């Protein structure tokens, strides 16, 4: 709770960041709502950067999750799934707020010898730059945010160059965290509460992320990754998890987890969930199911009750042939899990109090104890959830991928470790819902059985099957942020078990997104990409209509 109160204070102190910007045509020029050096000090910059970073990564994590079926995607055509205007806010968050604030605070921090403030900003801005490259490819960097008249139309830098700059930022951050002598720390550290040893571990882990993502184009990536693992100074335990803790305040400002705020409303749930993820977890009797998803009803049309054209149109339809051929779930799942297929673009009926929604992890909602009550504003954990950003369980899956490349048998250890850490973390969230009956929660024996089943599945699987076991467990552990999974999918082509789009030919899979509209429309140096099949520099896998081709 201490963290939540700190969050409220920081949000109120930097309340200007929630104002809308009415001059969006400025693109990479000044932001009239941004903090300026004559208005504030380094601590205010630090607060704003942290909060904006959390919001930005929440958005990118959700978008990536939709593409790879961790979340629901409601478009039958990949080109039109995300319009260029859909990323205008993210672009502004990144350039005109986070990166601009880092640039503005840097000389002040150096002058005042506030190196730890600067180091935090360097870690976060490095991750922002890497994420922008992963989503858009080549982006402005060397000419961005310069302010000179001749640089209001910055050219893009290669993804390789931006990645190199980000790696350099992380190295500089580590140096700044570990400088000799006493340094003042920031008044507010919303992530690690001024534990700089943990910040160094995060910086090293983000370097591991860079090396893993570039392993197809950098012959030294594996050895650089393994060198960090051998040194041991990276995120290895859930107590070191990098996450953003949300609060319970409903307005002025709303500090609740976004997935909670959008779904625990007077009109019911606002988002649909993914049939593929829920169905996969159902099939495996996953012990995280009741924590991830909350059911408002105990029956779905076409399953326990007759089809209903008004509330679930597809319950009266036949599955498309490519779903039948692949043996994929179509339209509905049993036991009240009311979600949607990948690419289902049906309209929105009055099902806000029928559809399943986010549970107690990570959104801070209801634990599903089979009460089957409608969601209520303030119910469950009241929104005191998290945005997971880099978890110890995910690091295990990163290590599993690298280990598999050398010896598939050695990857099993990391798959089990990552799954075990994920389950333990998720189970700890049950107590957030004070009204829940946790007696129905999975037992320790249930968890042990599940882990044994995962190990058995991996040991008995073919090469493709082993990749699928690894990927499916990684997908489940990543609920709440699909950033790493989108990269994994483009890097490996797994899992091959993902539910296909409802449309038989949805167009080329999204290998990168089109540039934001504001960026292209106001920058004469850049042309818009005409499709979403352009591959980022580290993605060297063959182009395909739907990636991988088995989909």
């Amino acid at each position: 709770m201490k963290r939540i109160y700190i969050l409220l204070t920081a949000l109120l102190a930097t309340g200007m960041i929630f104002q809308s910007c009415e001059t969006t045509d400025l693109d990479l020029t000044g932001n009239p709502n941004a903090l300026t050096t004559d208005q504030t000090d380094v601590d205010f910059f630090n607060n704003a950067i942290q909060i904006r970073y959390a919001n930005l990564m929440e958005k990118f994590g959700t978008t990536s999750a939709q593409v790879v079926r961790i979340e629901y995607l409601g478009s039958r055509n990949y080109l039109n799934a995300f319009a260029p205007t859909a990323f205008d806010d993210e672009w502004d968050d990144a350039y005109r707020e986070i990166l601009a604030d880092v640039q503005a605070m840097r000389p002040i921090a150096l002058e005042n010898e506030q190196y730890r403030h600067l180091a935090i900003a360097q870690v976060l801005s490095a991750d922002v730059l890497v994420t922008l490259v992963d989503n858009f490819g080549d982006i402005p960097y060397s000419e961005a945010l310069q302010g000179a008249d001749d640089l209001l139309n910055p050219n893009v830098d290669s993804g390789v160059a931006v990645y190199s700059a980000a790696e350099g930022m992380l190295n500089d951050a580590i140096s700044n965290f570990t400088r000799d002598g006493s340094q003042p720390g920031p008044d507010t550290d919303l992530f690690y509460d001024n534990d700089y040893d943990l910040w160094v571990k995060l910086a090293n882990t983000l370097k591991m992320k860079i090396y893993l993502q570039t392993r197809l184009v950098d012959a030294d990536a594996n050895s650089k990754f393994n060198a960090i693992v051998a040194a041991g100074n990276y995120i290895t335990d859930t107590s070191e998890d990098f996450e953003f803790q949300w609060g319970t305040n409903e307005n002025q400002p709303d500090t609740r987890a976004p997935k909670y705020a959008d779904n625990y409303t007077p009109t019911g749930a606002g988002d649909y969930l993914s049939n593929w993820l829920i169905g996969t977890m159902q099939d495996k009797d996953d012990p995280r199911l009741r924590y991830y998803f909350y059911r408002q009803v105990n029956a779905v049309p076409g399953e326990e009750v007759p089809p209903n054209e008004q509330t679930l149109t597809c319950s009266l339809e036949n599955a498309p042939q490519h779903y039948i051929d692949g043996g994929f779930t179509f339209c509905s799942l049993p036991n009240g899990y009311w979600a949607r297929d990948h690419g289902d673009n049906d309209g929105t009926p009055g099902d806000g109090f029928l559809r399943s929604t986010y549970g107690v992890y990570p959104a801070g909602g209801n634990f599903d104890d089979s009460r089957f009550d409608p969601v209520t504003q303030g119910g469950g954990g009241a929104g005191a959830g998290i945005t997971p950003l880099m978890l110890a369980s995910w690091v295990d899956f990163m290590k599993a991928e690298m280990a598999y490349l050398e010896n598939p048998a050695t990857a099993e250890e990391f798959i089990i470790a990552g799954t075990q850490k994920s389950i333990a973390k998720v189970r700890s969230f049950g107590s957030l819902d004070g009204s829940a009956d946790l007696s129905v929660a999975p037992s320790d024996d249930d968890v042990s059985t599940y882990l044994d089943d995962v190990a058995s599945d991996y040991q008995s699987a073919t090469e493709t099957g082993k990749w699928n076991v690894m990927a499916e467990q990684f997908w489940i552990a990543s609920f709440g942020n699909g950033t790493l999974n989108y990269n994994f999918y483009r890097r490996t082509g797994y899992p091959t078990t993902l539910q296909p789009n409802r449309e038989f030919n949805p167009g080329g899979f999204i290998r990168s997104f089109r540039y934001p509209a504001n960026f292209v429309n106001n920058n004469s140096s850049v042309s818009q990409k005409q499709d979403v099949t352009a591959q980022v520099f580290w993605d060297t896998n063959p182009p395909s209509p739907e990636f991988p081709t088995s989909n």
Side-chain angles (χ1 to χ4, degrees):
M1 290 303 296
K2 176 184 176 184
R3 229 180 195 187
I4 294 171
Y5 291 129
I6 292 173
L7 171 62
L8 284 169
T9 302
L11 285 165
L12 292 169
T14 58
M16 67 185 72
I17 70 172
F18 293 98
Q19 301 170 11
S20 64
C21 177
E22 297 180 0
T23 54
T24 54
D25 58 334
L26 293 175
D27 195 45
L28 296 185
T29 60
N31 181 352
N33 291 320
L35 299 169
T36 60
T37 55
D38 61 349
Q39 290 176 325
T40 187
D41 62 18
V42 171
D43 276 304
F44 282 162
F45 277 117
N46 187 66
N47 292 343
I49 290 166
Q50 292 179 72
I51 296 165
R52 288 163 174 161
Y53 170 85
N55 278 290
L56 178 64
M57 293 305 167
E58 170 78 22
K59 294 173 186 176
F60 274 127
T62 297
T63 299
S64 297
Q66 291 172 343
V67 176
V68 296
R69 286 73 156 178
I70 294 174
E71 298 281 2
Y72 155 73
L73 176 70
S75 176
R76 290 175 180 259
N77 181 276
Y78 286 135
L79 177 63
N80 297 323
F82 300 94
T85 54
F87 294 105
D88 284 343
D89 286 347
E90 285 87 336
W91 197 259
D92 284 351
D93 288 345
Y95 279 101
R96 296 200 301 155
E97 294 183 345
I98 297 170
L99 298 177
D101 280 355
V102 173
Q103 184 185 53
M105 74 169 277
R106 186 176 186 276
I108 309 172
L110 289 174
E111 181 180 356
N112 297 337
E113 297 185 350
Q114 294 171 295
Y115 300 115
R116 286 168 174 165
H117 293 72
L118 179 58
I120 290 173
Q122 288 171 323
V123 170
L124 301 184
S125 57
D127 197 34
V128 168
L129 288 170
V130 168
T131 302
L132 289 171
V133 171
D134 293 344
N135 282 277
F136 300 110
D138 298 343
I139 59 167
Y141 176 67
S142 60
E143 295 183 3
L145 302 168
Q146 298 301 310
D149 290 342
D150 58 343
L151 293 181
L152 295 181
N153 295 291
N155 287 292
V156 296
D157 293 79
S158 70
V160 174
V162 178
Y163 255 55
S164 178
E167 183 183 0
M169 286 183 189
L170 293 170
N171 288 330
D172 289 344
I174 292 170
S175 296
N176 283 326
F177 280 127
T178 56
R179 279 178 182 259
D180 293 335
S182 176
Q183 298 181 44
D187 290 342
T188 304
D189 177 355
L190 297 171
F191 295 102
Y192 282 136
D193 199 19
N194 299 102
D195 187 330
Y196 305 111
D197 290 339
L198 293 181
W199 275 105
V200 171
K201 288 190 174 189
L202 171 64
N204 282 321
T205 306
L206 292 178
K207 289 172 64 177
M208 291 170 63
K209 171 183 170 182
I210 287 174
Y211 302 145
L212 180 65
Q213 287 173 191
T214 57
R215 68 172 178 80
L216 298 178
V217 295
D218 181 1
D220 296 325
N222 291 42
S223 61
K224 289 186 286 189
F225 181 98
N226 290 331
I228 295 178
V229 172
N233 197 21
Y234 63 98
I235 294 173
T236 59
D237 188 82
T238 54
S239 63
E240 302 163 347
D241 283 348
F242 182 52
E243 60 194 34
F244 190 80
Q245 173 69 61
W246 298 96
T248 59
N249 208 58
E250 293 183 0
N251 50 63
Q252 298 182 343
D254 186 345
T255 66
R256 300 170 298 169
K259 288 179 173 60
Y260 181 94
D262 292 341
N263 291 281
Y264 286 73
T265 76
T267 56
D271 297 324
Y272 287 104
L273 301 176
S274 164
N275 264 341
W276 178 84
L277 183 63
I278 297 175
T280 299
M281 294 177 71
Q282 273 189 311
D283 290 345
K284 300 177 185 302
D285 201 14
D286 194 294
R288 291 161 286 192
L289 191 66
R290 288 181 180 269
Y291 298 86
Y292 281 10
F293 313 113
Y294 177 74
R295 295 167 294 171
Q296 300 188 83
V297 296
N298 62 1
V300 179
E303 296 288 338
E304 297 84 1
V305 294
N308 188 315
E309 183 179 10
Q310 299 300 316
T311 58
L312 193 62
T313 304
C314 61
S315 63
L316 290 168
E317 299 173 356
N318 294 321
Q321 190 61 45
H322 62 295
Y323 270 52
I324 296 172
D325 293 343
F328 295 103
T329 293
F330 171 71
C331 183
S332 59
L333 295 166
N335 301 325
Y337 287 101
W338 192 310
R340 281 196 169 184
D341 295 334
H342 183 65
D344 183 348
N345 65 344
D346 283 347
T348 304
D351 62 353
F353 292 111
L354 300 173
R355 67 181 81 164
S356 299
T357 191
Y358 298 99
V360 71
Y361 180 91
N366 292 334
F367 172 80
D368 189 339
D369 55 6
S370 302
R371 76 190 83 165
F372 303 116
D373 290 335
V375 294
T376 59
Q377 192 167 329
I386 62 167
T387 293
L389 298 163
M390 179 60 76
L391 305 184
S393 59
W394 302 353
V395 177
D396 283 326
F397 286 104
M398 293 164 59
K399 291 161 64 178
E401 180 181 345
M402 280 297 200
Y404 187 94
L405 300 173
E406 297 181 8
N407 181 356
T410 62
E412 179 188 338
E413 171 190 352
F414 301 116
I415 295 170
I416 298 304
T419 304
Q420 190 170 29
K421 288 174 186 174
S422 170
I423 293 172
K425 183 181 185 70
V426 169
R427 293 176 78 192
S428 73
F429 273 66
S431 59
L432 271 183
D433 183 357
S435 63
D437 176 9
L438 296 178
S439 67
V440 301
S443 66
D444 292 344
D445 287 344
D446 294 330
V447 173
S448 295
T449 298
Y450 181 81
L451 293 172
D452 289 344
D453 289 344
V454 173
S456 176
D457 289 346
Y458 185 82
Q459 293 164 10
S460 62
T462 62
E463 178 180 356
T464 295
K466 282 178 165 54
W467 276 111
N468 282 337
V469 171
M470 181 197 306
E472 287 179 354
Q473 288 304 318
F474 190 16
W475 260 233
I476 296 169
S478 299
F479 187 57
N481 187 338
T483 297
L484 295 184
N485 310 86
Y486 181 39
N487 295 340
F488 183 100
Y489 190 52
R490 288 178 289 173
R491 198 168 55 241
T492 69
Y494 293 100
T496 61
T497 57
L498 294 183
Q499 184 185 47
N501 197 294
R502 277 280 195 91
E503 182 64 38
F504 176 70
N505 182 15
F509 179 75
I510 303 171
R511 305 293 277 267
S512 68
F513 298 99
R514 288 178 288 178
Y515 287 124
N518 280 343
F519 170 55
V520 174
N521 294 341
N522 297 286
N523 189 330
S524 60
S525 300
V526 179
S527 299
Q528 181 61 274
K529 294 184 281 187
Q530 297 305 304
D531 53 45
V532 293
T533 58
Q535 296 171 220
V536 299
F537 80 94
W538 50 257
D539 174 7
T540 60
N541 286 302
S544 62
E546 168 77 35
F547 180 75
T549 54
S550 60
N551 270 8

